[in-house]
Amino acid sequence: MSRTSRKTHAGPARPEIESSWARSRLNGLRQDGSPGLRQGTVAGVGGLTRAAGPVMERVRAELDDTPFAFVLADRSARIVDIRCSDRALGGTLGDLGIVPGVRFGEDEVGTNAIGTPVETRQGLFVRGDEHFLAAFHDFACYGHPIVHPLTRRLEGVVNIGGRAGDEHRLFSPLVRRVVRDIEDRLQLDASGAQRKLLAAFQTAARSPRRPVLVVGHGLVLATPSALDLLEPADHAAVQACAEGMRGGGEATHRLTLASGRTVRLRCAPVDGVEGALVDILPEQEGRRGTRGPGPTEGRPLLVVGEPGSGRTTEARRAVGPGAVVLDATDVVRQGERAWAASLVELLEAEGPAVVVENVQLLSERLTSLLARCLHGVRRETVLTVTPGDHLDGAHAPLVALCGARHDLVPLRRRRHDIPGLAQRMLAETSGTGPRRLTVDSSRVLAAQPWPGNLAELRRVVQAVARTRSAGDIIPSDLPASYREAPAPTSPFRQAEREIIVEAIKAAGGNKRQAARALGMSRSTLYNRMHALHIH
């Protein structure tokens, strides 16, 4: 059996199965490995369990005395409910550790009819040895995703399974019918939830001057005071903050609006419903957010950030205008001796602030020299550097000497800032009239992975500015590779993306060689590149 494909009892693997096997291998799974199922906590009663409970009970009654099990899992592929009247099958499932609370994601157990539909958002029949792990070869299952009718978000998966050889051609239509019933109940539940959101909004909006929004279940309500503050680009940012709440508690975000005004968003959950009440609060005077201390509070200052994340801008902001810049990228052009002489001359004398850029490129010799100079430095000094293991290794002496450190957050981790940033960048470009990003365009931009951070975002905005000089900018105005929002990214999909990108880089862009290194066919690699938006 080759590493790129294998045959099942029915012949060559189907494309969807082969793709799933490739993803399973990328995650380091072995076909002869044990499932390693770990039981977690089953979430409390929510929209999915309220909608699915009566449907699952009806199905259990209909399938009484049949050798099948019905499984409900949430959007993370964690089993929420199992209905099985066959004692022998139920005992076998229990012996394998298939119980509520266990997660069945592709990244943990490979190809299966719960995790794979979560990954692909498509129904899938997995027969016997089509399962990636040999431990599940005795089972045949069909799983179908549950998609919320209003939000179009994945809510979970319904799965029916039994012993291999007992699978029935009615598995698929039966599960599809069950999914439709659950989706119908989700829609009814959402209607009740929207009434609760409306009630919460009416209570909060009693003060007409209170800028507040309610976000949830496909519903956004805002007071006139909130609408006066927010531009279209800001609405997408506010929703991103509200949807990013974790653990059901309050959360506070600092946001710079398209107008340039800085506010705090206090997001609080609405009781009994999946939604948030968002208060827009003026920034407190003198508040510095998460920014670290500048050189006057502790020097030198170390600014750490990925390429394109704004290290230079932050360094200049910290020391003000007039700083002298010494860039380690010039070592190759000037030579180590000349660059070292400039470094010593700058840091051993008094004068304006000094910014030393890209210290990750310094050799061991130059790192030692810079460390010696920093011991007795007489002027404000800022070092910029990329994150990585080198900060604990070759360049650890420089880190230890810095009295302050500011880690820049990658753009992909501050999506709520993207709409406002893009609008401000757009305003800085030349044009014949005012231009504005529509809400849809802002949402699409906020969903991109942005590996090039602010620099990449600025390039995209400048490309848009060249094609549209005035008016509203809609998604079709964006560069072709940025017109669609990527599918929600799970940690596994992000890891898979990074592995493929690194393999292509290591192969010098040769896709055939990269596919061989990853243990997959070139066509599978192209399919995964398309699915993961790798250009």
Side-chain angles (χ1 to χ4, degrees), residues 47-352:
L48 177 63
T49 51
R50 282 195 303 270
V55 180
M56 293 288 288
E57 179 58 28
R58 187 194 70 215
V59 168
R60 185 203 62 77
E62 291 177 352
L63 295 180
D64 195 21
D65 295 329
T66 63
F68 303 127
F70 243 87
V71 178
L72 175 70
D74 63 18
R75 62 169 64 96
S76 69
R78 190 175 301 281
I79 295 177
V80 176
D81 191 7
I82 299 178
R83 303 296 175 103
C84 179
S85 60
D86 185 277
R87 290 188 177 182
L89 178 58
T92 301
L93 296 179
D95 291 342
L96 284 171
I98 304 175
V99 296
V102 166
R103 186 171 175 273
F104 247 70
E106 265 194 349
D107 54 328
E108 294 201 15
V109 297
T111 305
N112 69 89
I114 295 176
T116 303
V118 165
E119 188 70 26
T120 64
R121 289 179 64 118
Q122 295 180 347
L124 181 68
F125 208 132
V126 183
R127 301 179 179 89
D129 57 4
E130 288 182 331
H131 288 91
F132 187 79
L133 295 186
F136 303 128
H137 284 186
D138 290 338
F139 299 94
C141 310
Y142 176 81
H144 197 85
I146 305 167
V147 178
H148 199 290
L150 297 181
T151 66
R152 304 311 301 166
R153 290 182 178 174
L154 178 71
E155 293 292 334
V157 169
V158 170
N159 170 287
I160 186 172
R163 296 191 178 278
D166 291 339
E167 63 265 25
H168 198 281
R169 62 183 180 180
L170 293 181
F171 269 13
S172 173
L174 175 60
V175 172
R176 289 173 185 269
R177 190 201 74 187
V178 170
V179 167
R180 283 197 303 271
D181 291 347
I182 294 175
E183 290 176 348
D184 288 343
R185 292 181 62 85
L186 280 171
Q187 186 162 5
L188 290 173
D189 187 64
S191 299
Q194 288 181 345
R195 287 193 292 271
K196 292 182 180 179
L197 291 172
L198 178 59
F201 175 74
Q202 290 172 335
T203 300
R206 287 174 181 170
S207 173
R209 295 183 179 181
R210 181 182 178 184
V212 64
L213 299 90
V214 163
V215 180
H217 284 276
L219 186 69
V220 178
L221 301 170
T223 61
S225 298
L227 294 175
D228 288 342
L229 283 172
L230 303 177
E231 298 289 337
D234 299 326
H235 286 275
V238 171
Q239 290 184 53
C241 291
E243 293 167 359
M245 292 175 60
R246 294 290 184 268
E250 288 194 8
T252 302
H253 299 273
R254 185 169 180 260
L255 178 67
T256 301
L257 303 177
S259 63
R261 182 174 182 178
T262 301
V263 299
R264 284 184 299 122
L265 304 178
R266 187 174 63 203
C267 306
V270 177
D271 290 339
V273 65
E274 296 175 7
L277 185 72
V278 183
D279 271 294
I280 306 176
L281 307 172
E283 180 70 283
Q284 295 176 1
E285 190 68 26
R287 178 179 169 86
R288 304 299 294 172
T290 59
R291 181 176 167 182
T296 56
E297 298 164 295
R299 58 181 190 179
L301 168 66
L302 183 69
V303 178
V304 184
E306 295 180 358
S309 59
R311 295 192 308 267
T312 299
T313 300
E314 183 57 33
R316 291 181 181 274
R317 183 184 296 123
V319 296
V324 180
V325 178
L326 192 63
D327 198 328
T329 59
D330 293 330
V331 172
V332 175
R333 179 175 57 84
Q334 297 177 2
E336 282 202 2
R337 181 173 297 181
W339 195 89
S342 299
L343 175 69
V344 172
E345 181 181 354
L346 284 172
L347 295 186
E348 289 190 350
E350 296 182 355

Side-chain angles (χ1 to χ4, degrees), residues 259-436:
S259 63
R261 182 174 182 178
T262 301
V263 299
R264 284 184 299 122
L265 304 178
R266 187 174 63 203
C267 306
V270 177
D271 290 339
V273 65
E274 296 175 7
L277 185 72
V278 183
D279 271 294
I280 306 176
L281 307 172
E283 180 70 283
Q284 295 176 1
E285 190 68 26
R287 178 179 169 86
R288 304 299 294 172
T290 59
R291 181 176 167 182
T296 56
E297 298 164 295
R299 58 181 190 179
L301 168 66
L302 183 69
V303 178
V304 184
E306 295 180 358
S309 59
R311 295 192 308 267
T312 299
T313 300
E314 183 57 33
R316 291 181 181 274
R317 183 184 296 123
V319 296
V324 180
V325 178
L326 192 63
D327 198 328
T329 59
D330 293 330
V331 172
V332 175
R333 179 175 57 84
Q334 297 177 2
E336 282 202 2
R337 181 173 297 181
W339 195 89
S342 299
L343 175 69
V344 172
E345 181 181 354
L346 284 172
L347 295 186
E348 289 190 350
E350 296 182 355
V354 175
V355 177
V356 184
E357 293 263 37
N358 297 302
V359 300
Q360 75 275 1
L361 301 177
L362 295 180
S363 64
E364 184 177 351
R365 177 184 173 188
L366 289 178
T367 298
S368 298
L369 176 63
L370 177 56
R372 287 200 302 272
C373 292
L374 290 177
H375 275 291
V377 67
R378 302 179 182 180
R379 57 213 298 186
E380 290 185 343
T381 308
V382 180
L383 311 182
T384 73
V385 66
T386 58
D389 294 340
H390 64 95
L391 294 178
D392 297 319
H395 299 106
L398 300 179
V399 177
L401 287 169
C402 290
R405 172 169 170 166
H406 184 189
D407 288 87
L408 301 178
V409 180
L411 196 56
R412 63 183 175 275
R413 296 181 187 169
R414 40 190 283 242
R415 297 190 183 279
H416 58 280
D417 285 337
I418 293 174
L421 287 169
Q423 188 63 51
R424 287 196 293 277
M425 290 177 180
L426 187 63
E428 294 168 0
T429 62
S430 58
T432 60
R435 285 166 298 190
R436 186 184 68 168

Side-chain angles (χ1 to χ4, degrees), residues 9-34:
H9 64 280
R14 293 174 285 155
E16 58 269 32
I17 295 295
E18 184 178 349
S19 296
S20 179
W21 286 338
R23 293 193 298 270
S24 303
R25 294 189 190 98
L26 279 172
N27 204 57
L29 297 176
R30 293 172 53 89
Q31 291 167 223
D32 58 353
S34 60

